[in-house]
Amino acid sequence: MRVLLVEDEKALAAALSKILEKNNIQVDICNDGEEGQILAEKDIYDVIILDIMLPNKSGLEILKDLRTNNHKTPVLFLTARDTVQDRVVGLDSGADDYLIKPFATEELLARLRALVRRPKDLIDDHILEFSNIKLHIDKGELEVKGKIKRLTTKETQLLELFLRNPGMVLSKEQILDRVWGVDATAMENSVEIYIHYLRKKLGHKAEVMIETVRGMGYVIKEKKDA
């Protein structure tokens, strides 16, 4: 999962970033509304977490512009504004959820998982399944026919991206943006290296494969469809 956090309280943003990354959630942070708008429009995030009171442009204005321009990324408002009317305004503006500060970390994590949940390929909030493989996201474990293999953080994030988009060709640029982030210095050969690692860990017993689509990128599919 990749999250954009637009929050002007820098200490809170830093603390949240550490919590999310410990749970294998990649985070891009910005502290300014106008910058947040630019990043949000890139359409590379699974969820956008917005504060309402931001410098230069409010969270409500960002959200209204996103929805006007048909950006459908789920948005969670994270704010100290706690009246019923505040919540109504936020949700009516197009927000998918609303969480009031202070909040419990576990509740935030649960709400993020709920926003990206896809019933067809999720067993529960923590596990993705495709054919005969399972990805235990929180544990960073790949299960193939009951056998567990440990994954690195980047391998977990990369496989999660594929499993949330089965049958979809993902370009190297999309993968770099979603897994390494917009400010990362990783090169395209980093994608090739980690695809190689994942293929080795999937092994011959997995009934899925990561296929190279020449000139386009990579796609995860069942071997019977190959």
Side-chain angles (χ1 to χ4, degrees):
M1 189 193 306
R2 179 155 214 93
V3 169
L4 172 63
L5 173 61
V6 189
E7 169 60 64
D8 64 334
E9 294 182 41
K10 294 183 178 180
L12 174 60
L16 277 177
S17 177
K18 290 180 180 179
I19 290 168
L20 295 174
E21 288 176 353
K22 284 182 180 178
N23 286 271
N24 287 322
I25 298 172
Q26 284 292 289
V27 188
D28 290 331
I29 298 174
C30 66
N31 311 115
D32 175 89
E34 290 183 350
E35 181 188 358
Q37 177 88 45
I38 292 169
L39 289 175
E41 289 178 347
K42 290 181 177 290
D43 279 338
I44 61 172
Y45 299 102
D46 297 296
V47 181
I48 298 169
I49 302 175
L50 277 181
D51 191 1
I52 290 180
M53 302 300 292
L54 293 165
N56 297 316
K57 192 167 190 175
S58 75
L60 284 172
E61 292 174 315
I62 293 171
L63 178 57
K64 287 178 181 177
D65 285 349
L66 289 175
R67 297 301 185 241
T68 298
N69 294 319
N70 204 33
H71 292 284
K72 298 179 180 178
T73 306
V75 169
L76 167 68
F77 271 134
L78 189 63
T79 175
R81 297 177 67 165
D82 60 354
T83 69
V84 172
Q85 184 59 32
D86 287 328
R87 291 195 288 270
V88 169
V89 170
L91 294 170
D92 282 348
S93 298
D96 299 272
D97 204 350
Y98 196 106
L99 187 59
I100 297 168
K101 303 173 184 176
F103 55 88
T105 299
E106 286 303 315
E107 182 178 6
L108 173 62
L109 293 172
R111 287 175 184 248
L112 291 176
R113 291 192 294 264
L115 288 175
V116 299
R117 184 177 300 135
R118 291 189 178 182
K120 66 179 181 180
D121 58 17
L122 273 173
I123 298 173
D124 59 28
D125 286 345
H126 308 272
I127 304 172
L128 286 168
E129 182 178 26
F130 183 51
S131 190
N132 72 334
I133 72 169
K134 297 177 185 178
L135 174 63
H136 300 260
I137 298 170
D138 290 355
K139 297 179 182 178
E141 294 178 347
L142 168 63
E143 182 178 345
V144 182
K145 296 187 72 172
K147 183 176 181 181
I148 299 293
K149 300 182 181 182
R150 289 288 303 166
L151 300 180
T152 65
T153 298
K154 279 288 179 282
E155 289 169 348
T156 301
Q157 293 159 357
L158 180 56
L159 186 54
E160 180 185 0
L161 176 61
F162 277 117
L163 294 182
R164 291 194 184 280
N165 299 279
M168 181 184 296
V169 177
L170 300 172
S171 69
K172 288 182 179 179
E173 292 80 9
Q174 287 175 309
I175 294 170
L176 281 170
D177 280 347
R178 294 291 295 273
V179 177
W180 277 267
V182 292
D183 296 322
T185 57
M187 305 295 289
E188 287 190 359
N189 67 342
S190 298
V191 176
E192 297 171 6
I193 290 168
Y194 277 88
I195 293 288
H196 172 71
Y197 291 158
L198 276 183
R199 284 171 171 162
K200 287 186 67 175
K201 290 191 176 179
L202 286 168
H204 67 277
K205 291 186 178 180
E207 294 173 2
V208 305
M209 60 184 291
I210 300 173
E211 182 180 279
T212 301
V213 181
R214 188 175 297 276
M216 296 181 65
Y218 302 93
V219 59
I220 194 166
K221 61 197 304 186
E222 294 189 72
K223 287 180 179 176
K224 64 184 180 184
D225 295 332

